[in-house]
């Protein structure tokens, strides 16, 4: 054990959500890395959320940086094996992106991302056009996230930056794990765009817009407003889930075996001191931590 962290200041490592569930009236839960890995659902995580809803009677809202709207996201969760009764509602970065596009009255966009994300624009009355005709660029990811990296977009992004075109980043994640493969997301493209002199509007966690939308959804589901102190945020991403929930005044349950697993030792037995040191280094506190979400 290092001398940098006092025993009394260590983040509590708990064996299951049941250890803290009774302290909270609702859960805001990340999806990718906590509930599934992009290939299949985590049965223990789904069971934990089902039991929270059943035994504690509180709502669970998924808050995800998916650039797609709610219904395509719900269908994806079903395909991955996430049961409908593991949650009460979903709020996506795609929903927040749609709101921004409507508020700005944008009609012509340049789309950067795979075709599977095109449902993002359905019903908005806009047209996808070549970059030279666009009012803004919207990035939902890479065209082929299994083979490409942001650097591959240098020529395209340099041309957009030269035009002064704003990029709307519809997913603030830089990287996620699909199975055991790390893949780049829209956030990595937007970050690279900014290094080339471009301007980007970031949406999703950790930005406040998605939390405002999530608390509104939570109030609609629960029939009353919820105070941040009554809600537990669950996530694996320090820069997105944990930082975002903390900034909104939520207690957080940090899932250590997600995107940052390599920093903490064996995935199923994370080093408590190292977990605490990493959180401290980011200026973030956690109510508790555990390797994988389970009851």
């Amino acid at each position: 054990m290092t001398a940098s962290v006092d025993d009394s200041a260590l983040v509590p490592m708990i064996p299951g959500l049941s250890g803290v569930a009774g302290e909270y009236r609702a859960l805001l839960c990340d999806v990718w890395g906590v509930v599934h890995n992009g290939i299949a659902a985590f049965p223990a995580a789904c069971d934990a959320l089902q039991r929270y809803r059943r035994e504690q009677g509180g709502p669970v809202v998924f808050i995800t940086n998916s650039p797609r709207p709610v219904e395509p996201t719900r269908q994806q969760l079903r395909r991955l094996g996430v049961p409908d009764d593991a949650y009460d509602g979903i709020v996506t970065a795609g929903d927040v992106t749609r709101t921004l596009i409507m508020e700005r009255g944008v009609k012509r966009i340049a789309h950067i991302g795979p075709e599977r994300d095109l449902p993002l624009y359905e019903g908005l009355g806009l047209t996808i056009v070549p970059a030279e005709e666009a009012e803004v660029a919207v990035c939902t990811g890479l065209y082929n996230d299994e083979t490409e990296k942001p650097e591959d977009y240098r020529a395209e992004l340099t041309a957009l930056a030269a035009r002064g075109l704003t990029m709307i980043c519809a997913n603030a994640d830089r990287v996620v794990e699909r199975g055991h493969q790390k893949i780049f997301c829209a956030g990595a493209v937007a970050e690279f765009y900014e290094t080339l002199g471009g301007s980007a509007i970031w949406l999703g966690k950790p930005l406040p817009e998605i939390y405002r939308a999530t608390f509104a959804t939570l109030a609609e589901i629960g029939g009353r407003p919820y105070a941040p102190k009554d809600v537990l945020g669950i996530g694996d991403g320090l820069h997105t889930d944990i930082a975002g929930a903390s900034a909104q005044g939520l207690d957080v349950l940090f899932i250590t075996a997600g995107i940052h697993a390599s920093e903490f030792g064996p995935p199923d037995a994370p080093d408590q001191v190292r977990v605490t040191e990493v959180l401290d280094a980011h200026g973030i506190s956690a109510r508790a931590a555990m390797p994988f979400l389970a009851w």
Side-chain angles (χ1 to χ4, degrees), residues 31-98:
V31 180
W32 199 316
V34 175
V35 178
H36 69 72
N37 65 356
I39 294 177
F42 299 140
C46 296
D47 172 69
L49 298 176
Q50 289 169 316
R51 292 186 65 172
Y52 175 82
R53 295 180 68 242
R54 184 170 64 247
E55 298 180 22
Q56 299 297 324
V60 174
V61 174
F62 284 159
I63 175 171
T64 169
N65 274 353
S66 169
R68 280 167 270 179
V70 166
E71 285 311 312
T73 302
R74 191 188 312 278
Q75 294 303 318
Q76 179 192 36
L77 292 174
R78 287 172 177 163
R79 289 193 299 272
L80 294 174
V82 179
D84 288 353
D85 64 353
Y87 62 95
D88 297 272
I90 308 171
V91 177
T92 76
D95 295 320
V96 181
T97 300
R98 286 173 60 87

Side-chain angles (χ1 to χ4, degrees), residues 63-272:
I63 175 171
T64 169
N65 274 353
S66 169
R68 280 167 270 179
V70 166
E71 285 311 312
T73 302
R74 191 188 312 278
Q75 294 303 318
Q76 179 192 36
L77 292 174
R78 287 172 177 163
R79 289 193 299 272
L80 294 174
V82 179
D84 288 353
D85 64 353
Y87 62 95
D88 297 272
I90 308 171
V91 177
T92 76
D95 295 320
V96 181
T97 300
R98 286 173 60 87
T99 298
L100 178 66
I101 290 172
M102 288 187 287
E103 289 175 348
R104 294 195 164 210
V106 174
K107 295 301 180 185
R108 300 186 310 280
I109 68 158
H111 172 73
I112 300 173
E115 288 189 9
R116 66 175 179 266
D117 293 337
L118 293 179
L120 173 65
Y121 311 116
E122 288 180 2
L124 296 183
L126 52 75
T127 305
I128 297 175
V129 298
E132 58 271 16
E133 301 174 19
E135 300 167 67
V136 298
V138 178
C139 181
T140 64
L142 290 78
Y143 298 118
N144 188 332
D145 54 24
E146 294 188 351
T147 62
E148 296 177 336
K149 56 187 181 300
E151 174 65 33
D152 298 331
Y153 291 69
R154 177 179 291 274
E156 181 178 353
L157 298 181
T158 298
L160 293 178
R163 282 197 58 214
L165 210 64
T166 297
M167 175 183 289
I168 298 175
C169 176
N171 174 357
D173 286 343
R174 273 79 165 178
V175 177
V176 296
E177 285 188 322
R178 181 178 293 143
H180 298 293
Q181 178 186 9
K182 288 191 176 181
I183 59 174
F184 288 107
C185 301
V189 178
E191 189 171 59
F192 186 47
Y193 187 57
E194 291 179 331
T195 69
L196 297 174
S199 174
I201 298 173
W202 293 69
L203 296 170
K205 299 172 289 184
L207 290 311
E209 293 86 356
I210 194 168
Y211 288 94
R212 286 196 290 268
T214 303
F215 268 87
T217 295
L218 188 58
E220 183 178 350
I221 291 168
R224 65 176 185 83
Y226 287 77
K229 68 180 179 62
D230 294 329
V231 181
L232 179 68
I234 304 174
D236 70 316
L238 286 168
H239 307 290
T240 51
D241 310 317
I242 308 306
S246 296
Q248 298 302 312
L250 278 66
D251 284 352
V252 296
L253 173 59
F254 180 34
I255 304 302
T256 61
I259 194 68
H260 303 290
S262 62
E263 300 188 44
F264 305 124
D268 59 348
D271 184 324
Q272 184 181 21

